[in-house]
């Protein structure tokens, strides 16, 4: 076990620590592995060299051996300069516990298991090996040597009568990693040849062999287990240098934020690998310097105080320290990492319209025109559901002429015309608009849920075109009325009631050129006979268009369509079909020609037709007859 204590920066010869023997008053010899320090027979530790430049804690091994006892004990002593760590005295109980837990060390003697003769039921003799358990060999890592350093001595009882040669096999000896352990083949002393690293390999399994000079095995191989004892030679290492976490603003104390994790390559079953965490600093200090705390064992960071406000501080930077030796700052090794804690926005700030009354104007008869922009302020996270504004018109627009769309970039409300407004019916509107967020306001926020403002809209009068009240206009007349006949008055009205303007008329389309219009009053009269059978008449209807225009600035005009339904009169005679035919004079029986008739008029002025021969010349009726087929 490690034995830490402080060391004043003084010259050699100053006694700082005394080991008290707990071997029941037996004489003890202490040996230090570091020549800069010595241990006297009474257990006092002395500085043998200058240590004025001691900047890092040092550690070395102290071996204890009784003069009349073959057992060996070792412990690790860690020294820190005074001011770096408080002095920790060793009590008699602490020394006894230290020695009871200490690992084996040189020069322990390991003998091969004995063999003896035993009678069998057949009165014959055979060898019997009694049970033998070889205690493991414990070697501290990072030993300073000198090397090779003796670990144990291997001995066979037969070396008294037979020349014995010793060898070791296994990983670390004759197998990779090779040449870590060696053995003197004559006296059986086993050595470690270099410093060991527990984090590279924590244990070795070797086998010791004993053969005679002819290479014959004289003992069964014995197993040697070597355990590398951990030293605190590795700092904790964070999995990340920068950790990112978040917590909602307004969170209560005890709310979980994030976890940081550091590992230590040293033995986690000992203090060397037991890591503890603490927070070194917090930036910024608002509203207090200690807004967070950390679980020293798990690395979980939680809130420790109320008052997190994203609108004041959006991110905190936390420096976290991980220290091994169960967090002992005097002789533990440390490392740091950065934790960035983002404060997540909640909807704790409702939107607020910047003024109580907005105003705008819109031309009549226009749609998709932005009347005015409603400006709003919201301190929550921009472009989030907590910031996005939603506008509603709650009064002043019963016919639905307006709507408010949200500008996704600026969050302003764009009051837009979606249905034309008429200056002659509404010269102004007074709307009431409310704004809220896309997300619900967070619970517990003492604030109005929405902001309200009035919007005054003036409607601009524009010069509207004259309008024909009935468009298209359908009238009925018999075809064949003479030229100059008045058919109707096709007049338009000017919607601009508040402006006195004159309306004039002109003809736009008259395919057959049958009509004229009075420029002043819109009276329609004929210039030619109306013929139902004309190619310009479709389904008995003749269609013409006319223009009405005012004298406004700029001038506005409107069109109207006049449809004349022509009533048929019997003004077309039937026509025989075919017009000509051929017969043979001497044909038997007599030849005949089938004839029919067509009439351009319509019902009831067509059919049934009556066919008869002319009375002149008289020879026609003598030579021909006409009879009805159907």
């Amino acid at each position: 076990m490690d034995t830490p204590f402080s060391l004043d920066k003084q010259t050699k010869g100053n006694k700082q620590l005394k080991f008290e023997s707990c071997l029941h008053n037996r004489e003890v010899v202490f040996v230090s592995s570091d020549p800069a320090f010595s241990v006297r027979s009474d257990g006092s530790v002395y500085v043998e060299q200058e240590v004025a430049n001691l900047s890092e804690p040092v550690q070395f091994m102290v071996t204890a051996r009784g003069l009349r006892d073959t057992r060996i004990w070792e412990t690790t002593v860690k020294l820190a300069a005074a001011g770096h760590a408080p002095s920790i005295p060793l009590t008699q109980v602490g020394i006894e516990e230290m020695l009871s837990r200490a690992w084996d060390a040189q020069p322990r003697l390991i003998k091969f298991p004995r063999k003896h003769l035993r009678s069998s039921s057949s009165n014959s003799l055979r060898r019997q090996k009694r049970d033998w358990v070889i205690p493991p060999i414990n070697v501290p890592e990072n030993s300073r040597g000198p090397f090779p350093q003796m670990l144990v001595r291997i001995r066979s009882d037969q070396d008294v009568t037979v020349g014995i040669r010793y060898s070791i096999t296994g990983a670390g000896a004759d197998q990779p990693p090779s040449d870590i352990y060696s053995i003197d083949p004559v006296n059986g002393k086993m050595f470690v040849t270099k410093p060991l690293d527990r984090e590279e390999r924590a244990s070795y399994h070797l086998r010791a062999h004993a053969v005679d000079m002819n290479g014959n095995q004289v003992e069964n191989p014995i197993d040697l287990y070597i355990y590398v004892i951990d030293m605190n030679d590795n700092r904790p290492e964070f999995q990340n240098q920068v950790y990112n976490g978040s917590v909602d603003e307004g969170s209560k104390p005890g709310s979980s934020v994030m976890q940081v994790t550091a590992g230590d390559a040293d033995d986690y079953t000992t203090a060397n690998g037991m890591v503890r965490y603490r927070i070194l600093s917090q930036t910024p200090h608002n509203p207090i310097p200690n807004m967070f705390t950390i679980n020293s064992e798990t690395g979980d960071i939680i809130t420790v105080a109320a008052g997190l406000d994203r609108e004041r501080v959006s991110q905190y930077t936390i420096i976290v320290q991980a220290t091994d030796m169960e967090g002992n700052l005097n002789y533990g090794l440390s490392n740091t990492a950065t934790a960035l804690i983002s404060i997540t926005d909640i909807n704790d700030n409702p939107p607020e319209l910047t003024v109580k009354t907005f105003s705008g104007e819109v031309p009549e008869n226009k749609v998709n025109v932005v009347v005015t922009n409603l400006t709003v302020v919201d301190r929550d996270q921009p472009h989030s559901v907590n910031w996005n504004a939603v506008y509603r018109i709650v009064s002043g627009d019963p016919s639905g002429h307006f709507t408010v769309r949200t500008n996704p970039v600026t969050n302003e409300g764009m009051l837009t015309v979606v249905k034309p407004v008429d200056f002659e019916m509404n010269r102004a509107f007074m709307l009431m608009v409310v704004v809220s967020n896309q997300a619900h306001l967070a619970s517990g926020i003492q604030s109005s849920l929405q902001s309200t403002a009035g919007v005054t809209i003036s409607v601009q009068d524009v010069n509207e075109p004259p309008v024909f009240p009935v468009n298209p206009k359908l009238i009925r007349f018999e075809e064949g009325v003479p030229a100059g006949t008045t058919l109707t008055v096709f007049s338009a009205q000017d919607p601009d009631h508040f402006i006195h303007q004159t309306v004039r008329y002109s003809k736009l389309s008259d395919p057959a050129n049958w009509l004229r219009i009075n420029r002043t009053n819109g009276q329609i009269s004929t210039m030619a006979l109306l013929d139902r059978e004309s190619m310009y008449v479709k389904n008995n209807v003749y269609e013409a268009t006319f223009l009405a225009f005012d004298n406004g600035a700029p001038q506005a005009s409107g069109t109207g369509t006049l449809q004349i339904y022509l009533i048929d009169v019997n003004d077309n005679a039937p026509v025989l079909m075919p017009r000509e035919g051929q017969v043979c004079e001497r044909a038997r029986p007599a030849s005949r020609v089938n004839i029919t008739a067509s009439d351009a008029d319509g019902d009831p002025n067509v059919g049934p037709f009556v066919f008869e021969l002319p009375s002149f010349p008289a020879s026609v009726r003598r030579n021909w007859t006409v009879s009805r087929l159907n």
Side-chain angles (χ1 to χ4, degrees):
M1 63 184 291
D2 287 350
T3 304
F5 61 94
S6 63
L7 179 70
D8 291 326
K9 296 181 180 179
Q10 299 174 357
T11 59
K12 63 182 179 179
N14 291 331
K15 181 173 63 175
Q16 294 301 314
L17 175 68
K18 180 176 181 180
F19 287 90
E20 296 183 19
S21 170
C22 59
L23 297 180
H24 307 290
N25 298 321
R26 284 177 286 183
E27 293 183 0
V28 180
V29 175
F30 296 99
V31 177
S32 170
S33 65
D34 191 336
F37 303 93
S38 65
V39 183
R40 305 292 172 86
S41 59
D42 63 350
S44 301
V45 178
Y46 283 82
V47 180
E48 299 295 341
Q49 298 178 8
E50 290 286 347
V51 293
N53 294 326
L54 183 67
S55 59
E56 292 289 337
V58 297
Q59 60 185 25
F60 56 90
M61 303 296 299
V62 174
T63 302
R65 179 172 59 86
L67 293 178
R68 292 181 294 275
D69 196 318
T70 59
R71 289 178 296 173
I72 299 294
W73 291 268
E74 279 190 347
T75 188
T76 301
V77 177
K78 177 172 285 190
L79 301 178
H84 290 192
S87 178
I88 302 176
L90 287 176
T91 65
Q92 182 70 22
V93 175
I95 289 291
E96 186 170 358
E97 180 182 2
M98 172 191 75
L99 296 178
S100 67
R101 294 185 181 180
W103 50 77
D104 297 303
Q106 62 188 25
R108 196 177 77 194
L109 177 64
I110 297 178
K111 291 185 177 182
F112 283 89
R114 295 176 181 175
K115 302 173 183 178
H116 62 87
L117 299 178
R118 174 184 174 188
S119 295
S120 65
S121 59
S122 60
N123 296 322
S124 63
L125 297 176
R126 66 183 178 90
R127 289 184 177 272
Q128 173 71 29
K129 182 179 76 172
R130 74 181 168 92
D131 293 337
W132 192 275
V133 178
I134 305 301
I137 303 169
N138 296 307
V139 181
E141 65 173 333
N142 305 324
S143 174
R144 296 185 180 182
F147 295 102
Q149 183 178 12
M150 181 179 171
L151 299 180
V152 294
R153 181 185 176 193
I154 310 297
R155 180 175 176 272
S156 171
D157 290 339
Q158 300 187 47
D159 63 357
V160 177
T161 59
V162 179
I164 302 296
R165 290 294 180 265
Y166 301 97
S167 64
I168 54 175
T169 61
D174 62 341
Q175 300 175 19
S178 303
D179 303 326
I180 295 179
Y181 301 98
S182 64
I183 189 168
D184 188 313
V186 176
N187 59 31
K189 292 182 179 181
M190 180 177 167
F191 300 90
V192 60
T193 64
K194 62 181 69 174
L196 301 181
D197 185 355
R198 189 203 70 89
E199 287 70 49
E200 182 177 333
R201 186 170 183 136
S203 65
Y204 296 85
H205 177 200
L206 303 178
R207 305 197 81 186
H209 306 269
V211 298
D212 60 20
M213 300 303 291
N214 296 320
N216 299 315
Q217 178 178 302
V218 297
E219 300 280 4
N220 290 328
I222 60 173
D223 292 304
L224 301 176
Y225 293 94
I226 301 174
Y227 294 108
V228 183
I229 304 304
D230 185 47
M231 295 295 195
N232 189 23
D233 58 345
N234 289 279
R235 294 180 180 274
E237 295 291 339
F238 282 95
Q239 293 182 357
N240 303 303
Q241 279 303 303
V242 178
Y243 290 83
N244 291 283
S246 63
V247 63
D248 287 343
E249 62 175 328
S251 293
K252 297 179 180 179
S255 300
S256 177
V257 179
M258 63 193 300
Q259 183 185 39
V260 298
T261 305
D264 195 309
D266 291 321
D267 188 354
Y268 69 91
T269 64
T270 70
N272 294 339
M274 294 181 181
V275 178
R276 297 296 183 263
Y277 304 92
R278 71 186 186 116
I279 293 177
L280 294 182
S281 66
Q282 166 195 305
T283 306
H285 290 175
N286 296 333
I288 61 174
N290 300 307
M291 292 296 295
F292 306 93
T293 187
I294 189 170
N295 186 306
S296 62
E297 295 187 5
T298 65
D300 290 303
I301 298 176
I302 61 174
T303 59
V304 72
L308 292 174
D309 187 353
R310 189 204 67 85
E311 286 72 50
R312 293 182 61 190
V313 178
S314 62
Q315 187 181 74
Y316 289 90
T317 300
I318 304 296
I319 305 300
V320 180
Q321 183 184 60
T323 305
D324 58 19
M325 300 301 291
E326 297 183 278
N328 192 311
L329 299 177
N330 294 324
Y331 50 89
L333 302 178
S334 301
N335 225 329
T336 61
T338 301
L340 301 178
I341 302 175
S342 298
I343 308 304
T344 307
D345 185 48
I346 65 172
N347 191 16
D348 57 346
N349 292 282
E352 298 180 3
L353 291 162
T354 56
V355 296
K356 288 299 182 181
T357 302
F358 294 88
S359 61
E361 57 183 18
V362 58
E364 62 175 334
N365 303 322
K366 296 290 185 179
V367 294
N368 296 323
V369 175
V370 176
V371 179
T372 187
N373 289 314
L374 310 179
T375 53
V376 70
V377 174
D378 194 318
R379 295 189 296 150
D380 288 318
Q381 180 70 46
H383 308 291
S384 69
V385 293
N386 300 327
W387 179 81
N388 294 340
V390 178
Y391 300 85
R392 290 185 301 113
I393 298 174
V394 295
S395 65
D397 185 25
S399 299
H401 290 283
F402 305 93
T403 190
V404 184
R405 301 185 177 101
T406 303
N407 187 318
V409 177
T410 64
N411 215 26
E412 294 180 346
M414 300 180 294
L415 183 64
T416 307
V417 182
V418 293
K419 182 179 178 180
V421 294
D422 189 349
F423 174 82
E424 284 68 37
M425 297 188 64
N426 296 98
R427 296 189 180 186
F429 291 85
M430 183 62 190
L431 311 181
M432 187 63 66
V433 177
V434 298
V435 61
S436 58
N437 282 129
Q438 188 175 344
H440 294 296
L441 199 64
S443 60
I445 302 302
Q446 300 299 321
S447 178
S448 174
L449 297 179
Q450 55 192 12
S451 179
T452 306
V455 184
T456 301
I457 302 174
S458 300
V459 181
Q460 296 175 324
D461 187 24
V462 297
N463 186 24
E464 301 174 83
V467 177
F468 289 91
V470 180
N471 190 14
K473 182 177 182 179
L474 178 65
I475 61 175
R476 300 171 66 89
F477 260 87
E478 287 187 350
E479 63 174 332
V481 296
T485 302
T486 299
L487 302 181
T488 185
V489 174
F490 194 28
S491 60
Q493 299 175 354
D494 192 343
D496 299 310
H497 302 308
F498 301 100
I499 304 176
H500 181 69
Q501 296 181 136
T502 301
V503 178
R504 295 290 183 263
Y505 304 91
S506 64
K507 185 169 62 173
L508 281 181
S509 173
D510 182 13
N513 200 27
W514 288 343
L515 307 174
R516 68 162 53 94
I517 185 169
N518 186 291
R519 178 178 176 82
T520 302
N521 57 21
Q523 178 177 292
I524 306 295
S525 59
T526 62
M527 296 191 301
L529 293 177
L530 305 182
D531 184 4
R532 190 193 71 86
E533 290 72 41
S534 169
M535 60 180 292
Y536 300 109
V537 178
K538 309 297 181 184
N539 298 323
N540 299 329
V541 176
Y542 179 73
E543 192 170 275
T545 57
F546 299 90
L547 179 69
F549 53 91
D550 60 24
N551 60 345
Q555 189 180 68
S557 61
T559 59
T561 300
L562 180 65
Q563 295 176 334
I564 305 173
Y565 186 90
L566 295 177
I567 302 171
D568 186 43
V569 297
N570 193 14
D571 58 347
N572 291 279
V575 178
L576 290 174
M577 297 178 65
R579 303 288 294 175
E580 295 180 353
Q582 293 181 351
V583 296
C584 292
E585 184 177 358
R586 294 185 174 83
R588 292 291 185 268
S591 298
R592 63 182 182 180
V593 175
N594 293 331
I595 61 175
T596 183
S598 67
D599 195 322
D601 294 321
D603 285 333
N605 299 319
V606 295
F609 298 114
V610 177
F611 298 90
E612 60 182 19
L613 295 172
S615 57
F616 182 84
S619 60
V620 174
R621 294 195 173 188
R622 288 197 303 270
N623 296 326
W624 301 90
T625 60
V626 176
S627 61
R628 179 180 295 278
L629 295 177
N630 53 53

